[in-house]
Amino acid sequence: MTSLLSLRGVCSGYGHLQVLHDIDLDLEKGTVGALIGPNGHGKSTLLRTIAGLNKTWSGKITFRNAPVPPTPADRAGAGIILVPQGDQLFADMTVEENLIMGGYTQSDILRLRQSLDAVYALFPKLADRRKQRANSLSGGERRMVGIGRGMMAEGDLMLIDEPSLGLAPLIIEQIYAALAALATENRSILVVEENPSRVTNIGSQFFLMDGGQIAWRGDRHELSGFDDILRTYLGG
Ligand SMILES: Nc1ncnc2c1ncn2[C@@H]1O[C@H](COP(=O)(O)OP(=O)(O)OP(=O)(O)O)[C@@H](O)[C@H]1O
């Protein structure tokens, strides 16, 4: 199977601080890849680098077998959509207005409506709250709007940074069930999750990040060794 996203020898960082060291990663179409591991080891930086917010210092990123465009806006236009950590919603706008902002490049009103309907089908709670301002939503609802706004951009690849952060277990389950449903719609997802047990059911490929490198990678069939890996890296 050919990769939707492919990284070879990717290095990146901030100013003089190198965070990512020689990252090789492939993600196939229609699958969920999970970037796992403790805080501060470069998971967010990797998503930002794929999205173009951090410059690729060296190495190569290809998307649909072509080099990624240079700017974040062009990468988003090509179908690489980042759902950042923290929700970064427009606080004074309603749920629906925030969602529509995600589809700002879509000029076909019918397509926009269909995308909105798809978000509401996945997150029925948001349909009930479509006129409610973002600043009055619960943490879980805000996260749903963040993911929904990413869906509105109709990308082939969603990069989702720690969707479970700060949420109650029941809400986390709902969010991950939604992500699993999204991936079966021929959309690929690369999700950051500190706690791997939350993604074992939906991930098909796992990448453990340690010190800005991929220290372990495996698919579902290799999950039998997962417990040892968790103990080593997360003390779990
Ligand atoms: N804007 C920034 N400027 C300078 N250094 C940064 C910046 N953002 C992150 N870093 C540093 O890069 C390293 C990796 O951080 P990163 O956020 O990618 O890790 P992470 O594994 O995603 O952890 P977390 O889940 O806490 O975000 C850390 O040492 C962090 O301090």
Side-chain angles (χ1 to χ4, degrees):
M1 200 184 277
T2 55
S3 297
L4 177 70
L5 174 76
S6 179
L7 277 71
R8 289 293 174 271
V10 168
C11 298
S12 184
Y14 305 87
H16 295 293
L17 174 72
Q18 181 168 358
V19 174
L20 302 181
H21 301 267
D22 268 328
I23 302 286
D24 290 348
L25 181 150
D26 289 287
L27 190 70
E28 286 161 13
K29 210 166 160 38
T31 63
V32 177
L35 286 175
I36 57 175
N39 285 328
H41 286 258
K43 302 183 299 298
S44 301
T45 305
L46 181 52
L47 291 195
R48 290 175 54 86
T49 304
I50 296 167
L53 296 174
N54 281 56
K55 203 168 168 344
T56 302
W57 292 3
S58 57
K60 219 169 61 174
I61 305 178
T62 54
F63 182 61
R64 291 201 224 97
N65 295 320
V68 282
T71 67
D74 287 342
R75 287 193 199 177
I80 299 175
I81 308 300
L82 177 67
V83 178
Q85 211 177 84
D87 304 294
Q88 299 186 10
L89 304 182
F90 297 98
D92 289 328
M93 288 184 167
T94 65
V95 165
E96 188 147 300
E97 286 164 346
N98 267 283
L99 292 174
I100 288 171
M101 290 301 283
Y104 73 98
T105 55
Q106 181 57 264
S107 52
D108 181 339
I109 298 297
L110 197 65
R111 286 274 300 269
L112 200 64
R113 187 71 250 169
Q114 285 168 346
S115 296
L116 264 181
D117 289 344
V119 173
Y120 291 145
L122 195 65
F123 298 117
K125 253 188 176 176
L126 297 187
D128 300 338
R129 288 165 173 70
R130 67 179 78 198
K131 301 279 177 236
Q132 194 172 321
R133 281 185 181 197
N135 61 9
S136 62
L137 297 173
S138 71
E141 290 159 358
R142 292 175 63 85
R143 201 64 39 85
M144 290 171 196
V145 177
I147 294 167
R149 192 173 58 183
M151 287 171 65
M152 294 292 293
E154 293 192 328
D156 293 350
L157 173 65
M158 288 178 72
L159 308 168
I160 307 182
D161 200 349
E162 222 160 341
S164 64
L165 198 68
L167 300 183
L170 192 65
I171 309 294
I172 293 173
E173 260 178 51
Q174 290 173 12
I175 297 278
Y176 274 112
L179 295 192
L182 267 185
T184 57
E185 285 173 16
N186 234 4
R187 195 189 256 124
S188 301
I189 295 174
L190 187 57
V191 61
V192 164
E193 177 50 79
E194 190 192 347
N195 182 345
S197 63
R198 295 192 182 128
V199 277
T200 44
N201 290 334
I202 70 158
S204 48
Q205 300 161 75
F206 300 86
F207 307 93
L208 174 69
M209 288 202 70
D210 182 42
Q213 294 179 303
I214 298 192
W216 179 87
R217 72 187 69 217
D219 58 25
R220 281 207 183 165
H221 303 295
E222 293 162 294
L223 286 182
S224 51
F226 222 63
D227 285 348
D228 290 344
I229 290 158
L230 292 192
R231 265 192 294 278
T232 305
Y233 286 95
L234 298 171

